[in-house]
Coordinates of all heavy atoms in Angstrom, one line a residue:
L1 N -4.6 -4.1 8.2 CA -5.6 -3.3 7.4 C -5.8 -1.9 8.0 O -6.2 -1.0 7.2 CB -6.9 -4.1 7.3 CG -6.8 -5.3 6.4 CD1 -8.0 -6.2 6.6 CD2 -6.7 -4.9 4.9
W2 N -5.6 -1.7 9.3 CA -5.9 -0.3 9.8 C -4.7 0.6 9.4 O -4.9 1.8 9.6 CB -6.1 -0.4 11.3 CG -5.0 -1.1 12.1 CD1 -3.8 -0.6 12.4 CD2 -5.1 -2.4 12.6 NE1 -3.1 -1.5 13.1 CE2 -3.8 -2.7 13.2 CE3 -6.1 -3.4 12.6 CZ2 -3.6 -3.9 13.9 CZ3 -5.8 -4.6 13.2 CH2 -4.5 -4.8 13.8
D3 N -3.6 0.1 8.9 CA -2.5 0.9 8.6 C -2.3 1.2 7.1 O -1.3 1.7 6.6 CB -1.2 0.2 9.0 CG -0.9 0.4 10.5 OD1 -1.4 1.3 11.1 OD2 -0.3 -0.5 11.1
V4 N -3.3 0.8 6.3 CA -3.2 0.9 4.8 C -2.9 2.4 4.4 O -2.0 2.6 3.6 CB -4.5 0.4 4.1 CG1 -4.5 0.8 2.6 CG2 -4.5 -1.1 4.2
E5 N -3.7 3.3 4.9 CA -3.5 4.7 4.4 C -2.2 5.3 4.9 O -1.5 5.9 4.1 CB -4.7 5.5 4.8 CG -6.0 5.3 4.0 CD -6.8 4.0 4.4 OE1 -6.4 3.4 5.4 OE2 -7.6 3.6 3.6
S6 N -1.9 5.1 6.2 CA -0.7 5.7 6.7 C 0.6 5.1 6.0 O 1.5 5.8 5.7 CB -0.6 5.6 8.2 OG -0.6 4.3 8.6
A7 N 0.6 3.8 5.9 CA 1.7 3.1 5.2 C 1.8 3.4 3.8 O 2.9 3.6 3.2 CB 1.6 1.6 5.4
G8 N 0.6 3.6 3.1 CA 0.6 4.0 1.7 C 1.3 5.3 1.5 O 2.0 5.5 0.6
E9 N 1.0 6.3 2.4 CA 1.7 7.6 2.3 C 3.2 7.5 2.5 O 4.0 8.1 1.8 CB 1.1 8.6 3.4 CG -0.3 9.0 3.1 CD -0.4 10.0 1.9 OE1 0.6 10.6 1.5 OE2 -1.6 10.3 1.5
A10 N 3.5 6.6 3.4 CA 5.0 6.5 3.8 C 5.8 5.9 2.6 O 7.0 6.2 2.5 CB 5.1 5.6 5.0
I11 N 5.2 5.0 1.8 CA 5.9 4.3 0.8 C 6.1 5.1 -0.5 O 6.8 4.7 -1.4 CB 5.3 2.9 0.5 CG1 4.0 3.0 -0.3 CG2 5.3 2.1 1.7 CD1 3.5 1.7 -0.8
R12 N 5.4 6.3 -0.6 CA 5.5 7.0 -1.8 C 6.9 7.3 -2.4 O 7.1 7.3 -3.6 CB 4.7 8.3 -1.7 CG 3.2 8.1 -1.6 CD 2.4 9.3 -1.3 NE 2.5 10.3 -2.4 CZ 1.9 11.5 -2.4 NH1 1.2 11.9 -1.3 NH2 1.9 12.3 -3.4
P13 N 7.9 7.5 -1.5 CA 9.3 7.7 -2.0 C 9.9 6.5 -2.7 O 10.9 6.6 -3.4 CB 10.1 8.1 -0.8 CG 9.1 8.6 0.2 CD 7.8 7.8 0.0
M14 N 9.2 5.3 -2.5 CA 9.8 4.1 -3.1 C 9.1 3.8 -4.5 O 9.4 2.8 -5.1 CB 9.6 2.9 -2.2 CG 10.3 3.1 -0.9 SD 10.4 1.5 0.1 CE 8.7 1.1 0.4
I15 N 8.1 4.6 -4.9 CA 7.3 4.4 -6.1 C 7.9 5.1 -7.3 O 8.0 6.3 -7.3 CB 5.9 4.8 -5.9 CG1 5.3 4.3 -4.6 CG2 5.0 4.4 -7.1 CD1 5.2 2.8 -4.5
G16 N 8.4 4.3 -8.2 CA 8.9 4.8 -9.5 C 7.9 4.7 -10.5 O 6.7 4.3 -10.3
P17 N 8.2 5.1 -11.8 CA 7.2 5.1 -12.9 C 6.7 3.7 -13.2 O 5.5 3.6 -13.7 CB 8.0 5.7 -14.1 CG 9.4 5.5 -13.7 CD 9.5 5.6 -12.2
D18 N 7.4 2.6 -12.9 CA 6.9 1.3 -13.2 C 6.9 0.4 -12.0 O 6.8 -0.9 -12.1 CB 7.7 0.6 -14.3 CG 7.0 -0.5 -15.0 OD1 5.8 -0.3 -15.3 OD2 7.6 -1.5 -15.3
T19 N 6.9 0.9 -10.8 CA 6.9 0.1 -9.6 C 5.5 -0.6 -9.5 O 4.5 0.0 -9.7 CB 7.1 1.0 -8.3 OG1 8.4 1.6 -8.4 CG2 7.0 0.2 -7.1
A20 N 5.5 -1.8 -9.0 CA 4.3 -2.6 -8.8 C 4.1 -2.7 -7.3 O 5.0 -3.1 -6.6 CB 4.4 -4.0 -9.4
V21 N 3.0 -2.2 -6.8 CA 2.6 -2.3 -5.4 C 1.6 -3.5 -5.3 O 0.5 -3.4 -5.8 CB 2.0 -1.0 -4.8 CG1 1.7 -1.2 -3.3 CG2 3.0 0.1 -5.0
I22 N 2.0 -4.5 -4.6 CA 1.1 -5.7 -4.5 C 0.7 -5.9 -3.1 O 1.4 -6.3 -2.2 CB 1.9 -7.0 -4.9 CG1 2.5 -6.8 -6.3 CG2 0.9 -8.2 -4.9 CD1 3.4 -8.0 -6.8
P23 N -0.6 -5.5 -2.8 CA -1.1 -5.7 -1.4 C -1.3 -7.2 -1.1 O -1.9 -7.9 -1.9 CB -2.5 -4.9 -1.5 CG -2.5 -4.2 -2.7 CD -1.6 -4.9 -3.7
L24 N -0.9 -7.6 0.0 CA -1.0 -9.0 0.4 C -1.7 -9.1 1.7 O -1.4 -9.9 2.6 CB 0.3 -9.7 0.5 CG 1.0 -9.9 -0.9 CD1 2.4 -10.5 -0.7 CD2 0.2 -10.7 -1.9
Q25 N -2.7 -8.2 1.9 CA -3.5 -8.2 3.1 C -4.7 -9.1 3.1 O -5.1 -9.6 2.0 CB -4.0 -6.8 3.4 CG -2.9 -5.9 4.0 CD -2.5 -4.8 3.0 OE1 -2.7 -4.9 1.9 NE2 -2.0 -3.8 3.6
N26 N -5.3 -9.3 4.2 CA -6.6 -9.9 4.3 C -7.6 -8.9 3.7 O -7.3 -7.7 3.5 CB -7.0 -10.2 5.8 CG -6.0 -11.2 6.4 OD1 -5.5 -12.1 5.7 ND2 -5.7 -11.1 7.7
G27 N -8.9 -9.3 3.6 CA -9.9 -8.4 3.1 C -9.9 -8.3 1.6 O -9.1 -8.9 0.9
V28 N -10.7 -7.4 1.1 CA -10.9 -7.2 -0.4 C -10.8 -5.8 -0.9 O -10.9 -5.5 -2.1 CB -12.2 -7.8 -0.9 CG1 -12.3 -9.3 -0.8 CG2 -13.4 -7.2 -0.1
D29 N -10.4 -4.9 0.0 CA -10.5 -3.5 -0.4 C -9.1 -2.7 -0.4 O -9.1 -1.5 -0.6 CB -11.5 -2.7 0.4 CG -11.2 -2.6 1.9 OD1 -10.2 -3.2 2.3 OD2 -12.0 -1.9 2.6
A30 N -8.0 -3.4 -0.1 CA -6.7 -2.7 0.1 C -6.3 -2.0 -1.2 O -5.8 -0.9 -1.2 CB -5.7 -3.7 0.5
S31 N -6.5 -2.7 -2.4 CA -6.1 -2.0 -3.6 C -6.9 -0.7 -3.9 O -6.3 0.3 -4.3 CB -6.3 -3.0 -4.8 OG -5.5 -4.1 -4.7

């Protein structure tokens, strides 16, 4: 959970127009 923001920035090159990002972390605020 402490890596959400940094990893989110890193994965942007993998995001296409219909890519689905499914967070499977603990907690309730990752999305």
Side-chain angles (χ1 to χ4, degrees):
L1 287 166
W2 53 78
D3 282 333
V4 167
E5 283 76 13
S6 60
E9 289 287 349
I11 69 170
R12 289 174 66 181
M14 299 192 300
I15 308 300
D18 201 40
T19 299
V21 180
I22 307 176
L24 293 177
Q25 281 113 336
N26 299 326
V28 289
D29 64 356
S31 294

